[in-house]
Amino acid sequence: MRDRRDRHTNYMTTSSTPNILSSPSLGDNASTPHENNTSTFSKKLLIAIPFLSLLLFVIIDSQTSHHVQTAFQSLLAWISAHLVAGIFALITVYILATVAFLPGSILTLGSGFVYGKAFGLGSGVALASGVVFVGACCGAIISFLLGRYLLREWVGERLVKRYPMFMALDEALKQQGFQIFLLLRLSPIVPFNAINYIGGVTAISLKDYTRALIGILPGTVLYCFIGASAGSLSESQDGVNGPATVAIIVVGIILGLLAVYIMSSHAKKEFDRIVKSQERQDRGHHGFTSDLTHGNDPEVV
């Protein structure tokens, strides 16, 4: 009878113990954290290499053969002959140009010129502004998501978590992101393509970032109006060198400085709060260690 109970106990123990080595979740197919990190890095690298190659080409081309500028002018000539299809073509190209750091001013001025001549000054500027605004916003959101996917984790680990100042700036953009980015968007001196990716590596929410894109609308309308008022496409591109440019630069500097002031003042408050919080944690940790050193039991709340 005792042998039967022992055999029954052994059977229950053996059957209730999971086979760890044969488990599919812990066996040969299981992924370690290191393998997951390597896989994520490889995926990011597959996106980053073509993007950086395209960016390098754009920089070299802008200083040498100007193939991109010539292609934009050819596109605008095609749009003038295909106005309806040109709307969708212009939106698509503007999205790609924004993501690839291509200068969009030629497309903005050119669209104002093309649709201004086709539909008149008022209707042409309104249509051109709407087309450019849609393309620029879509491209800006894609750039933001790329920046967040490729670099946000690295920035968070290497800068935000290690340095209180970066943590304070990050927190300021998290809480006041819409206000700060709206002012940056209203300032035409802030590089549009660069700020898209910079926004992605900060803590600003996608909602606030998208809402702040309304700030590019005044500048878009102005550039389309300049293009529509020109007598030719080349003249529209030269129109930004007049007195209007001086006014744009002055207003842009004022708005940019205002955005920096708001961000820096809020960041200073966050920095002081973070430093005080760390000091309280250090004092609490020091008191806990002191109690253990003197043989006292720490107080349990």
Side-chain angles (χ1 to χ4, degrees):
M1 184 68 178
R2 181 178 180 181
D3 293 340
R4 184 177 300 175
R5 286 197 301 269
D6 292 342
R7 286 195 301 270
H8 178 71
T9 302
N10 292 336
Y11 170 77
M12 293 298 293
T13 302
T14 304
S15 61
S16 61
T17 302
N19 190 346
I20 297 177
L21 294 178
S22 62
S23 175
S25 61
L26 297 175
D28 296 335
N29 295 329
S31 298
T32 64
H34 176 72
E35 291 174 345
N36 290 332
N37 291 336
T38 303
S39 177
T40 302
F41 177 77
S42 300
K43 292 177 181 178
K44 292 182 179 181
L45 201 61
L46 289 176
I47 299 175
I49 289 178
F51 171 74
L52 292 176
S53 301
L54 179 61
L55 180 60
L56 182 62
F57 166 77
V58 171
I59 294 174
I60 295 175
D61 179 74
S62 64
Q63 303 297 324
T64 55
S65 55
H66 302 285
H67 288 306
V68 174
Q69 183 176 354
T70 303
F72 282 171
Q73 292 174 348
S74 300
L75 173 67
L76 292 170
W78 181 87
I79 291 175
S80 63
H82 306 82
L83 296 175
V84 178
I87 292 176
F88 301 98
L90 184 59
I91 290 175
T92 302
V93 172
Y94 216 105
I95 292 173
L96 297 175
T98 302
V99 174
F101 270 85
L102 298 176
S105 58
I106 298 177
L107 293 175
T108 306
L109 293 166
S111 63
F113 170 77
V114 170
Y115 288 106
K117 296 305 176 185
F119 299 102
L121 185 62
S123 300
V125 170
L127 179 58
S129 300
V131 171
V132 170
F133 181 72
V134 171
C137 288
C138 292
I141 292 173
I142 294 174
S143 301
F144 173 87
L145 295 175
L146 280 174
R148 178 146 296 184
Y149 175 72
L150 293 175
L151 296 174
R152 173 59 183 170
E153 183 179 356
W154 183 88
V155 171
E157 293 292 335
R158 301 294 178 89
L159 297 178
V160 175
K161 291 184 178 180
R162 294 186 180 184
Y163 302 101
M165 180 55 69
F166 282 100
M167 185 181 297
L169 290 172
D170 207 49
E171 188 65 24
L173 285 168
K174 182 179 180 180
Q175 296 186 15
Q176 302 290 331
F178 170 72
Q179 186 178 10
I180 293 171
F181 262 75
L182 179 62
L183 292 171
L184 291 175
R185 293 301 190 186
L186 287 169
S187 175
I189 65 170
V190 177
F192 175 73
N193 294 335
I195 202 67
N196 296 332
Y197 288 95
I198 293 174
V201 302
T202 67
I204 184 176
S205 66
L206 177 61
K207 178 182 177 181
D208 287 344
Y209 174 85
T210 304
R211 289 168 55 210
L213 285 170
I214 193 67
I216 69 173
L217 192 55
T220 300
V221 174
L222 176 61
Y223 270 67
C224 288
F225 176 79
I226 293 174
S229 303
S232 64
L233 185 59
S234 59
E235 183 181 336
S236 69
Q237 296 176 19
D238 295 334
V240 295
N241 296 323
T245 304
V246 178
I248 291 172
I249 293 176
V250 172
V251 173
I253 292 175
I254 295 174
L255 292 174
L257 291 175
L258 183 59
V260 171
Y261 170 77
I262 294 175
M263 183 170 61
S264 60
S265 61
H266 193 81
K268 184 179 183 301
K269 296 178 182 177
E270 288 298 324
F271 178 77
D272 294 338
R273 183 186 64 81
I274 292 170
V275 170
K276 291 179 181 178
S277 177
Q278 290 181 347
E279 289 177 350
R280 287 195 298 269
Q281 292 177 0
D282 292 340
R283 286 197 298 267
H285 178 72
H286 178 73
F288 181 83
T289 306
S290 178
D291 289 338
L292 292 180
T293 303
H294 292 85
N296 299 326
D297 293 332
E299 181 181 356
V300 179
V301 180

